[in-house]
Amino acid sequence: MLWRTHILRQPKLGSTKMPELPEVETIKNVIEPQITGLMVKNITINRPEVVARPTAEEFRKAVIGQTLSSMTRRGKFLMIHLKNENRIILHLRMTGCLLVVPPGYPMEKHTHIILQLDNGMELRFSDPRRFGRFWLIQKNEEDLYSGIGKLGLEPFSSACNGAYLQARLGKRKKAIKKCLLDQNVIAGIGNIYSDEILFRARLYPSMPANNLTSIEWERLAAAISECLSYFIEKNKISPEDYLATKGQDYRNTPFLQVYGHDNEPCPNCSKTLVRTVIGGRSSVYCLNCQRDRHTDIK
């Protein structure tokens, strides 16, 4: 069966959606080259509550004068590593945004933290809903604060295979769609990409996890890495374009095949895509390609 994931479609996205793994990876890829090797000359914190640990003033004192050595991603978290081996952990939540801007660049509304760098550029964090948070973790300190320690495997890990998924989820009676959102099992998948993954894997989203066969678990594991890799690739954007759109127009929405496309033709079989609610979350799928084996819906 040919899975036509290259078809361009414009989804009905509605309200703001939390960045998931592909978006966070894109932000890392855009921001990291612009800040690596630079020293923090000063920090302005307009909303102290955005710094979850330690206090805002302690955060300023600990980071000013330090060099930014690299940036990594873990699930939906970003980590900025300092040369002294301390690390800044950041979660964007729903509306958080990071921008590297030149001196005098117009300030975005709801800009809460500004790191002034020694090349004159600024790393700014804005967040209209103010849910995003920063944590500073010291060298050799166990992170008991951000939640990163509770995350499951990265989707691209070789260990994140069908056997792992079946061992962790195979006894659950919950819908497989809901299981994919469990960050303690797989890190980084949210509502958007769980729909896309299940469509690629040809799995009915409401199917209880304990009903999946070993072959279906393997198919799901393959779909997870393939789907997320595909969307990371489609998300690629230059730093110039990212800044021009203020970090808001880099998402691969034209490439989404089912999410936001309820009542439209399935890109694979042309049957009408349907929307349902699973665990309080909207889910879109194809009744034909993702048939429920137990009711034989066609």
Side-chain angles (χ1 to χ4, degrees), residues 17-29 72-78 91-93 151-157 160 180 183 186-194 197 224-233 235 250-252:
K17 301 298 180 183
M18 179 183 289
E20 300 180 25
L21 187 152
E23 288 75 47
V24 179
E25 183 72 13
T26 298
I27 294 168
K28 179 193 77 70
N29 291 339
T72 57
R73 176 198 56 76
R74 178 74 170 98
K76 301 177 188 178
F77 289 84
L78 287 168
H91 201 299
L92 301 170
R93 296 294 198 271
L151 293 178
L153 291 180
E154 282 290 310
F156 305 121
S157 167
C160 189
L180 282 181
Q183 301 301 300
I186 315 171
I189 300 173
N191 200 44
I192 295 174
Y193 295 107
S194 57
I197 288 165
I224 288 171
S225 60
E226 290 169 5
C227 186
L228 295 177
S229 295
Y230 172 82
F231 283 109
I232 288 172
E233 177 65 26
N235 257 356
Y250 59 89
R251 301 188 186 202
N252 45 52

